[in-house]
Amino acid sequence: MTAASDDDLAIASLLTTGWLAAHHAVGEMAQWAPRTSQALSLLKWESPLLDAVRAGMELMDEQADELTAPLRLAAGAWLGHTNPRTWSESVLRTHLLCGALLDLIELTADTWPQSSRKLLHQDPSGALVKTLTEVLDHVVADEREVSRLGLFGRRLAAEATAQAQRVAANRPELAGALTNHEVGSLDELNTTTQLLADLVEKGAQRMLSLG
């Protein structure tokens, strides 16, 4: 593998943390599954998520722990503040988490360095979102559940925005890598602000598409 640049390392740390958080969310989701067969079908996603994590750690090499530590704290805070209380809430949380990873990739990956772009071959988020969308299509057939999930979804989005803003402030090199602008420049600040706004909007659109 080509030697990783600082931008590669920053992006790998973000992706790896996202995949770890998704792995945690899938495990919780399986615990809430109403049927054992559903739990088993969800747990099959743990292996590809861990494969993706390993690929990210391989790229970061011995710097993996240092690079991911502050991001894992933010992800842990988001997961801890958004504990699901029902099966449908656990599905929605994982759906929006993986959807956010997909949206981030769509919005920024065109300018990523080659080494970090190779990690996308390991990303299972798209297939997982498709599966969870099918599950949620059945859930939202219940109008009472739609209203409750709407409130929970807004809570997920608000907490995610708060954690993302904190990470952007504390990890300026990550914002620079994602925006392809000089760290601390006005262009980087403006683009980072717009990126966060776009991610929030895309998350809202995902919620609306579910009903």
Side-chain angles (χ1 to χ4, degrees):
M1 180 179 286
T2 305
S5 67
D6 289 344
D7 284 354
D8 281 317
L9 296 175
I11 292 167
S13 69
L14 180 60
L15 292 175
T16 300
T17 302
W19 291 325
L20 273 173
H23 181 271
H24 176 91
V26 165
E28 284 201 355
M29 189 169 50
Q31 291 178 349
W32 280 105
R35 294 191 296 274
T36 302
S37 59
Q38 289 174 312
L40 288 174
S41 68
L42 293 170
L43 288 173
K44 73 179 182 181
W45 294 103
E46 289 190 326
S47 181
L49 283 166
L50 286 178
D51 287 343
V53 169
R54 292 188 187 99
M57 291 186 68
E58 181 181 349
L59 178 59
M60 291 181 285
D61 200 13
E62 69 273 6
Q63 300 180 70
D65 286 339
E66 176 186 355
L67 290 168
T68 59
L71 298 173
R72 286 189 290 107
L73 284 174
W78 181 77
L79 290 167
H81 294 153
T82 59
N83 283 320
R85 296 170 297 175
T86 65
W87 157 244
S88 55
E89 286 184 357
S90 68
V91 175
L92 181 63
R93 184 174 72 161
T94 310
H95 179 276
L96 292 180
L97 171 58
C98 292
L101 280 171
L102 284 178
D103 293 336
L104 180 70
I105 290 167
E106 177 188 337
L107 290 168
T108 66
D110 286 347
T111 61
W112 292 4
Q114 186 61 33
S115 292
S116 48
R117 283 185 61 82
K118 289 181 179 178
L119 293 176
L120 299 182
H121 296 301
Q122 299 284 342
D123 180 31
S125 300
L128 183 50
V129 164
K130 182 178 179 181
T131 295
L132 297 180
T133 299
E134 294 171 355
V135 174
L136 287 168
D137 281 343
H138 294 287
V139 171
V140 298
D142 184 339
E143 292 184 4
R144 293 169 300 177
E145 191 68 3
V146 170
S147 177
R148 203 173 56 77
L149 280 181
L151 293 174
F152 184 66
R154 286 193 286 274
R155 179 180 159 202
L156 290 170
E159 183 61 32
T161 301
Q163 294 300 332
Q165 290 172 334
R166 192 169 295 122
V167 167
N170 295 333
R171 289 286 305 274
E173 74 280 7
L174 180 56
L178 291 174
T179 63
N180 200 32
H181 291 301
E182 181 182 353
V183 174
S185 67
L186 183 59
D187 285 340
E188 182 263 303
L189 176 61
N190 290 338
T191 306
T192 300
T193 301
Q194 185 59 54
L195 175 60
L196 291 174
D198 289 343
L199 289 171
V200 170
E201 176 60 24
K202 283 182 173 290
Q205 289 301 319
R206 288 182 184 280
M207 291 271 291
L208 287 173
S209 69
L210 292 170

